[in-house]
Amino acid sequence: MSHDVILLLPESPDRRSLLDALVAAGPTLRVRMVAEGTVVQLRDDDERLVVAMQAAQRLAVSAEADRLLSDGVSDDLPAQPLWVEIRGTELEDVDTAAVARRFAQHLVDKHGGLLWEAEPELPRDDRNLLGATEHPAVSAVTEKNAVLVQDRPVVSLSSWLVDAMAVFGRKGLGLQLVTTSTSIITHALRWFLSRRGATWVVRAPDGRYYDGFNGLPLLWAEEVGFVPDPEVDAEAGPNQAFRTSATEDLGTQLHVDLQVDHPASADLVLAGSAEMLAERLTGARPALWGVAEPLTREWSPSAITAMARKRAPGQSVLVFAGPPGGKDSRPFAGSLRVSRTPSGVREHLLFTVGHRPGEEPELDALEPLVRELAVGDGLRSMTVHRAHGREDLTYPPRWAGVSVPVGLAVGPEGILAAGRDKALAAPVRAVPFGPPMTPVVWYRIGDGVEPDGWDRFHSLMEHLTPPEAARRSR
């Protein structure tokens, strides 16, 4: 279990200040530079990792600190403060939180700014979570999973977590993140934890653990990590903490899953589809992006394209968000995965728009959006779902209902596979766009509130599935 201290500075500390802060943290501790100098580690005489500090990141807007820490935390900071994350490991004989605190406080005394630290809520009574490893964010490593513990009100897709995913993912291990039942996770982290090999583990007030997405009980298995509890009666259902309704009224979230294929070319600029989704569904362009949170870069399709080119032929994954605290647009956030295909480049977007309680999403904007997407490069598919959720796009580990399909767009490749005439004669009204023989087809399933929404979606998918694919799936 790690101890986190966040340092927000108005100016960049010089080399002398950093050296003095390291001495203040622990004069007997040894300094080690890792990750090409972007991480500083402090180790004791037994070479145990005590504290790790990441290189300072300049925030594009101070509102990112408010979003991830607490409202108003940036009131006395400049518009673009520096964010420094310091993480102490769990050692029985060393107060690693105090070491991290001394480092941060020395820099605050010298340069101004503030030190932020969450009030602990997780009891330190589970030996499985009290260990330390060579990775600052990882408390335990089993044969199957790396286990991280985050005792913070808002848990985000931090660079520590992204690094753990890369390090242990290369070893074939999954990742399990443990939080309190009062923690909320960001949209970016929710997207990551919903992927295969990741688990959101929540400690309930009764001391038990449950899955943050479905509420089902989990228990610790020594060689694996957290696993579903096989002794729990299926009729008992989710943990009581998961079944407890959110204290605030939930609004509506509109989820869009979009895939677009581009021919590879020297003048290709990525992220145009993300801009189109944002502008048509929220009235604003994306404002921030990054590969982890906090989001530190101003939105720039050219910079995103440059990163993807540099990482090719490997994948590039990033997250983005709209203007922080924007009064003229709805809250939105998304993730973008860029990968190579045999014929070009694919963008896979997961995009969510938040709406206040009682506010209806603009579903009539979807058909014109599909028409516009059909004019550009190859729209592969787009699915739209509606769900209950918080307007600010954070997620507590509690029941909020299931999403309901709103619509499906299928590109020319999928239409040809299903058969054009068959695709246009679907059980859901088909609206074609583009060339008559190779159209993009939009199927409006409903408004996302109908009780038979999923039945209509499944009927449509069965109708569109090519016969040979249907036979293989049996």
Side-chain angles (χ1 to χ4, degrees), residues 21 57-58 90 94 99 183 192 195 240 338 355 386 407 418:
Q57 306 175 77
R58 186 168 296 281
E90 184 76 36
V94 180
V99 176
S183 296
F192 166 74
R195 299 167 62 191
Q240 181 60 41
V338 180
H355 301 77
R386 175 176 179 161

Side-chain angles (χ1 to χ4, degrees), residues 76-89:
D76 297 326
L77 294 171
Q80 295 181 308
L82 290 164
W83 172 292
V84 183
E85 193 147 346
I86 310 154
R87 181 156 291 192
T89 60

